[in-house]
Amino acid sequence: MSPETAPPLIAAQLNYLLSHFPLVVKIENKWSGSKYYPGILDRFTLVISYCLDVIKWDIIFDAESPMAAPDVIFGPDDENFQQFLVLRGEEEGDTKSPKNFLNDWNSRDATQLMLLVQELRDQYMSFQKKRVAEVDDDRLKFEISTIVAREGIEMHMSSGVDKPEEVKFSVPLLDMNINKMVPGCPWKHKQKIYLQVIYPVEKKYVSTPSAPRLKLVSTTELKSIFSIDDVKLPTWLNGMCMAEYLPHLEESLENQVLEAVSLIDVRRRFIEALALQFGRPLEADPVFCRKATFLAASGVFTFLVHVLISTQFPKQQPELMLQSSQHFNSQGAPIKSLFLTEYPWSPRWEIPLMAERICDYLTDEALNFKRYCNEPQLQH
């Protein structure tokens, strides 16, 4: 947010929030509420991560009084949250209540909005815990009692006219700092894996409750080294509870994450083996070792070899793409091949042999690619 679109004091608050908030937060909408300065933005919709979903709150500043504290408008599904805040604020000793933040607002302190949003989110988490605790479902009450000591769990009660009541849990898994396991990683936020557990609210006694809906969710950057799509969840047995299920899942996940981190070095050694065949790469991913580009030649025909390496390497062979440095299409873009995967490969081969067989394959494929580049319809 630049001073050209929002008053400087408001822009400073927003910039600090977006840069320093410990969780993912984004601005979805921006608009002006000023009658006299319609081009000055002073109202914003914040999208804040919560319980593997998002909550949206409108932050309403006043461009004509930029030193004043903002108003906050909560979403239509959280109409009882404001009443919850009022009751909480009346409790003795609650010095960190949002009301106190607003009463003591210092517009020149760029941290104020971030602290307010953080406190509101914490209060929202307490509000949802209170709603879930009030649900008349013995199974849910038991589940909560078995995991109450576990840190970082978030929960959300959803209900409505057109949808059944259900309770969603977000359970952080693995007490390990994955960021520190990957030297030089550019990740801003701590990479985490969560188990989403969704229970239907059953107000009547059920002798054999159905298994909850389960889904693994991870922070987006983690897919650079580990894809949760490749994880098969253990079976939820009849009569099982979360406290029984989680240890088996975490043991399996920990082993898979450790293996995924170790495969970074395997991919690095593969790129180094390719360099012995093609020469020093023009480009290479130095952190995750997922891609590299080499310059190759077949006679006077020179071309680039793009190598894309999956997290499942060496079980899954790399994808190759060739790009001519001498041929261009009618739009002026370099001519490229389709992805090549139909070449000799075995995950049991030693890494030097893998690189050698790719080089042998490209010796013949380069001639096919050259003929392809010379086809008239590609250049007109």
Side-chain angles (χ1 to χ4, degrees):
M1 192 62 55
S2 66
E4 289 76 26
T5 55
L9 291 175
I10 298 176
Q13 297 282 344
L14 291 166
N15 284 332
Y16 192 90
L17 169 70
L18 297 174
S19 301
H20 294 84
F21 198 71
L23 302 168
V24 177
V25 60
K26 299 177 182 178
I27 293 178
E28 184 176 76
N29 296 319
K30 322 172 214 180
W31 71 100
S32 174
S34 174
K35 177 180 179 181
Y36 301 104
Y37 307 103
I40 301 297
L41 303 178
D42 59 358
R43 303 182 177 203
F44 312 90
T45 298
L46 289 186
V47 181
I48 305 157
S49 61
Y50 177 75
C51 201
L52 303 179
D53 204 336
V54 296
I55 45 180
K56 297 182 180 182
W57 296 336
D58 290 339
I59 307 297
I60 310 299
F61 284 100
D62 185 350
E64 296 166 30
S65 302
M67 298 184 73
D71 290 326
V72 182
I73 300 177
F74 305 114
D77 295 334
D78 299 318
E79 57 185 20
N80 295 324
F81 180 42
Q82 187 163 354
Q83 183 180 1
F84 172 84
L85 289 174
V86 171
L87 295 175
R88 269 293 179 97
E90 293 174 354
E91 296 178 3
E92 293 184 5
D94 192 4
T95 57
K96 289 181 63 181
S97 73
K99 181 178 179 181
N100 287 334
F101 269 109
L102 296 172
N103 288 339
D104 300 332
W105 187 263
N106 178 2
S107 61
R108 298 191 181 280
D109 180 356
T111 68
Q112 293 282 281
L113 181 60
M114 187 199 74
L115 295 174
L116 172 65
V117 173
Q118 180 68 68
E119 178 58 25
L120 284 171
R121 189 185 182 281
D122 290 345
Q123 295 281 12
Y124 186 78
M125 185 158 43
S126 300
F127 166 66
Q128 288 294 342
K129 285 183 178 179
K130 181 175 182 294
R131 291 187 68 200
V132 172
E134 293 170 350
V135 172
D136 185 18
D137 185 319
D138 290 339
R139 181 193 190 186
L140 275 171
K141 292 181 184 296
F142 174 73
E143 288 285 3
I144 294 171
S145 71
T146 65
I147 59 171
V148 67
R150 193 178 179 102
E151 291 186 5
I153 290 181
E154 295 181 350
M155 55 189 77
H156 185 270
M157 172 75 188
S158 65
S159 60
V161 177
D162 300 325
K163 55 185 179 182
E165 286 188 329
E166 57 185 25
V167 173
K168 177 168 65 178
F169 292 90
S170 164
V171 185
L173 304 172
L174 303 180
D175 185 19
M176 58 197 311
N177 191 331
I178 301 176
N179 294 46
K180 290 187 176 180
M181 298 166 65
V182 182
C185 76
W187 298 327
K188 176 183 175 183
H189 296 288
K190 187 175 180 181
Q191 298 305 296
K192 294 289 293 180
I193 301 174
Y194 302 87
L195 180 67
Q196 182 185 79
V197 188
I198 301 178
Y199 289 97
V201 175
E202 297 172 338
K203 297 182 179 180
K204 296 181 180 180
Y205 173 75
V206 179
S207 59
T208 307
S210 58
R213 303 201 306 273
L214 304 173
K215 181 183 178 181
L216 279 180
V217 180
S218 74
T219 41
T220 55
E221 294 95 339
L222 187 61
K223 64 183 180 182
S224 298
I225 65 165
F226 180 68
S227 173
I228 56 171
D229 295 335
D230 299 324
V231 177
K232 183 179 180 181
L233 286 171
T235 303
W236 184 287
L237 304 176
N238 287 339
M240 184 174 271
C241 66
M242 262 199 282
E244 296 173 297
Y245 184 81
L246 293 175
H248 300 289
L249 172 60
E250 288 193 299
E251 181 181 2
S252 172
L253 266 181
E254 181 175 357
N255 291 333
Q256 292 179 67
V257 170
L258 291 173
E259 180 184 14
V261 172
S262 70
L263 286 176
I264 296 175
D265 189 57
V266 175
R267 295 194 294 271
R268 179 176 288 108
R269 288 189 283 114
F270 174 64
I271 292 174
E272 291 171 349
L274 288 173
L276 294 177
Q277 300 291 331
F278 294 102
R280 185 184 181 91
L282 300 180
E283 293 181 327
D285 172 8
V287 178
F288 308 116
C289 302
R290 294 286 307 279
K291 57 185 178 180
T293 298
F294 299 88
L295 181 64
S298 176
V300 295
F301 174 53
T302 59
F303 58 96
L304 301 180
V305 181
H306 301 289
V307 184
L308 305 179
I309 313 170
S310 82
T311 57
Q312 294 298 302
F313 177 89
K315 294 178 184 177
Q316 188 177 99
Q317 67 193 96
E319 292 182 317
L320 310 177
M321 177 188 283
L322 308 185
Q323 174 184 323
S324 175
S325 59
Q326 300 166 320
H327 301 82
F328 303 87
N329 62 22
S330 58
Q331 287 77 41
I335 295 178
K336 298 179 181 179
S337 72
L338 299 175
F339 284 112
L340 306 173
T341 55
E342 299 297 324
Y343 58 87
W345 181 265
S346 171
R348 293 183 295 275
W349 288 344
E350 295 293 328
I351 286 179
L353 180 58
M354 293 176 180
E356 183 180 328
R357 295 300 292 270
I358 286 178
C359 186
D360 292 342
Y361 166 76
L362 290 179
T363 299
D364 294 330
E365 187 60 30
L367 300 176
N368 296 330
F369 182 55
K370 181 180 179 181
R371 283 192 290 270
Y372 172 74
C373 291
N374 286 323
E375 291 179 5
Q377 64 269 26
L378 291 175
Q379 302 178 41
H380 299 286

